[in-house]
Amino acid sequence: MEVEVIHSWSAPRSLSTSLMYSFSQRDDIEVLDEPLYANFLRDPAFDRPYRDQLLSKMESDGNKVVNDIIYGPGSKKYRFCKHMSKHKVHNLPEDLLKKGKHFILIRNPLDILPSFDKVLPPTSFELGLGQLVGIYDELCDIGKPPPVIDAKELQKDPEGTLRGLCNDLEIPFQPAMLSWEAGPKPIDGLWAPWWYKNVHKSTRFEVQSKNPEPLPLSQYNLLARTLPHYNMLRSHVKKKLSILSSPSPPPDLPVPANEKLVAWVGDEIVTRESAKVSVFDSVVQGGDSVWEGLRVYDKKIFKLEEHLDRMFDSAKALAFENVPTRDEIKEAIFRTLIKNGMFDNAHIRLSLTRGKKVTSGMSPALNLYGCTLIVLAEWKPPVYDNERGIVLVTATTRRNSPNNLDSKIHHNNLLNNILAKIEANNAKADDAIMLDKDGYVSETNATNIFMVKKGRVLTPHADYCLPGITRATVMDLVVKEQFILEERRISLSEVHTADEVWTTGTMGELSPVVKVDGRTIGNGKVGPITRKLQVAYKKLTEQSGVPIELA
């Protein structure tokens, strides 16, 4: 009878034999242990102590193995084929992947390498994780993305993992798959005496030891080469909530197009999932970094030079060394935008950390590698409702004093602001007003603030607040539009009784405020001065900015 073939692809020492034993307990399946092994060993470059014996007893013609053995007739409904990824050599028929159902079993090379050299000298090829990535890509390219399971999950939750796998393969789960008898099996390949001694002692998937073997230092470079392959495949493992629950879905992105962006980290462009910094980086060790927010309008970056001026000032104030040049930072920004195709309605989070340390610790003397530059560009419209307005509450958290940490340094250590934002979230407000130590309005947790009273525009001194670049831009527009501008201390009651209030920032532009602490501002609608300045600001973004260098 024609059988439905299930292919398991894995690297050695990945519990693949245990999984084969698990499937062999089903009453509707027959099992083949590495049917492509002899075809692989036809190449004399791949030596094994049992090579001659294997070639004399197993079919070594890859075409015959695929067509007559793997996809030949059988007596059961299913056929389970256990494969090592390195056995998929180039002379095999395309039907091997095009037909049947496939899944990939992975295991962290940290758990493979300590015992691997007991049988073979460890190499990237013999480990096979790179080949597994290739098989995954090939299956995706032909429209058959395979399920991926991790050996660690099999050990931790055998039933949940097997149920999930069976569901993905569209076959019923059988409880018999959870255990088997100890000892050699008739289905074992003739190489079993070399490789299967430990698995022959098992009767089920065992929880991994809490005291794993240390990694030999001689294998560190091999780990560095293979771990990225494991992590790539690991990202495709479905997350389980519990044994019987459905897989937990990934969170929705505010802008789905940002799922496939690239970012600049250090000195290279990497994919979203690879956009990471070292655990030794100062931004991880102590939030020791400076940053800027930039916005892109019609192939131009608005106020780029002003933002770079502030970034260099902040880096100098924090005594950063080995800072990239202005031209180097610009090139990284331009290249990142071009590679993402982002020329309008995009926001850039530009960060410069003190860099990586030689060992963990607070002292900047440990930073001997130079700064780390990060360019994160995203599709991001203004984050506030600039048509109907936003709601603010006043936080109990006070804005940092220059006595403690000068807000004119645009640093990444934002806990002061985050605590205020938590209060806003809890109050279901858009943002929170932060007061200075004397109770006067400073700014919000994310933006500068303006108010209008009897035609006069007021904004707090930039003593406690960041002297924002959008703030300065709007102050210039206020004067240009011939309104009276006052920069002075502002009490909270003045905000509560203002005719108009708005906030400013690169992320949100010029955002009208319609309610503060439950008090309606003006008539609860966007005021005329606010609206006029919004129009003037929009016109300015259309007319100015640094062009993105496309060549």
Side-chain angles (χ1 to χ4, degrees), residues 439-458:
Y440 291 99
V441 173
S442 176
E443 59 181 345
T444 78
N445 55 274
T447 56
N448 293 121
I449 190 167
F450 289 76
M451 60 165 281
V452 176
K453 190 68 173 180
K454 295 182 179 179
R456 305 170 77 90
V457 178
L458 288 72

Side-chain angles (χ1 to χ4, degrees), residues 146-170:
V148 181
I149 62 171
D150 195 311
K152 185 176 181 180
E153 300 302 320
L154 264 177
Q155 293 174 309
K156 185 168 65 175
D157 180 13
E159 183 173 347
T161 305
L162 289 171
R163 282 183 180 274
L165 178 59
C166 289
N167 182 67
D168 289 334
L169 296 172
E170 298 178 321

Side-chain angles (χ1 to χ4, degrees), residues 257-305:
N258 287 328
E259 182 181 2
K260 295 184 178 180
L261 57 76
V262 294
W264 183 284
V265 181
D267 58 1
E268 62 180 344
I269 289 179
V270 293
T271 63
R272 179 186 176 110
E273 293 304 316
S274 300
K276 300 175 175 67
V277 296
S278 168
V279 295
F280 288 97
D281 197 285
S282 287
V283 72
V284 179
Q285 295 274 323
D288 190 2
S289 174
V290 298
W291 70 280
E292 292 294 323
L294 304 165
R295 190 165 279 287
V296 180
Y297 301 91
D298 190 23
K299 302 184 180 65
K300 301 185 298 294
I301 304 173
F302 189 59
K303 299 290 181 180
L304 173 60
E305 301 297 348

Side-chain angles (χ1 to χ4, degrees), residues 54-292:
L54 188 148
L55 289 173
S56 68
K57 293 190 176 183
M58 283 185 72
E59 177 59 65
S60 61
D61 185 311
N63 287 289
K64 290 182 179 178
V65 173
V66 173
N67 297 323
D68 301 337
I69 298 176
I70 292 178
Y71 289 117
S75 59
K76 297 289 183 73
K77 183 176 182 179
Y78 303 108
R79 176 177 293 140
F80 181 92
C81 294
K82 169 194 160 193
H83 302 296
M84 294 294 105
S85 57
K86 60 193 170 191
H87 293 174
K88 187 190 170 298
V89 293
H90 296 300
N91 65 346
L92 295 171
E94 292 182 354
D95 277 353
L96 176 62
L97 292 188
K98 287 184 175 180
K99 296 170 65 176
K101 297 179 177 180
H102 301 257
F103 73 91
I104 289 177
L105 170 65
I106 59 172
R107 193 180 189 192
N108 194 320
L110 273 170
D111 299 322
I112 298 175
L113 287 171
S115 64
F116 193 90
D117 60 0
K118 295 176 182 177
V119 180
L120 285 174
T123 64
S124 293
F125 177 82
E126 292 290 2
L127 208 58
L129 284 165
Q131 295 96 309
L132 269 184
V133 171
I135 291 169
Y136 180 88
D137 288 343
E138 284 188 62
L139 287 166
C140 289
D141 288 344
I142 61 175
K144 299 176 65 174
V148 181
I149 62 171
D150 195 311
K152 185 176 181 180
E153 300 302 320
L154 264 177
Q155 293 174 309
K156 185 168 65 175
D157 180 13
E159 183 173 347
T161 305
L162 289 171
R163 282 183 180 274
L165 178 59
C166 289
N167 182 67
D168 289 334
L169 296 172
E170 298 178 321
I171 65 174
F173 168 76
Q174 292 188 4
M177 299 173 70
L178 295 174
S179 63
W180 51 87
E181 292 185 2
K185 314 287 189 293
I187 58 175
D188 289 343
L190 62 83
W191 50 88
W194 284 268
W195 288 94
Y196 295 179
K197 290 180 182 178
N198 287 333
V199 73
H200 282 163
K201 300 174 185 177
S202 71
T203 60
R204 61 179 58 86
F205 293 105
E206 303 284 351
V207 176
Q208 186 176 4
S209 170
K210 292 184 178 180
N211 299 303
E213 296 180 64
L215 175 74
L217 290 180
S218 60
Q219 296 176 10
Y220 184 87
N221 290 338
L222 179 57
L223 174 69
R225 293 195 299 272
T226 57
L227 196 57
H229 298 309
Y230 166 78
N231 287 333
M232 176 270 170
L233 292 168
R234 173 70 179 163
S235 69
H236 296 286
V237 175
K238 289 183 179 178
K239 303 298 188 293
K240 294 289 181 180
L241 296 176
S242 65
I243 289 179
L244 298 177
S245 68
S246 300
S248 56
D252 293 330
L253 300 181
V255 180
N258 287 328
E259 182 181 2
K260 295 184 178 180
L261 57 76
V262 294
W264 183 284
V265 181
D267 58 1
E268 62 180 344
I269 289 179
V270 293
T271 63
R272 179 186 176 110
E273 293 304 316
S274 300
K276 300 175 175 67
V277 296
S278 168
V279 295
F280 288 97
D281 197 285
S282 287
V283 72
V284 179
Q285 295 274 323
D288 190 2
S289 174
V290 298
W291 70 280
E292 292 294 323

Side-chain angles (χ1 to χ4, degrees), residues 376-393:
L376 173 58
E378 295 180 277
W379 300 107
K380 184 172 289 191
V383 295
Y384 302 114
D385 187 342
N386 290 346
E387 292 301 316
R388 293 180 297 178
I390 63 174
V391 174
L392 302 180
V393 294

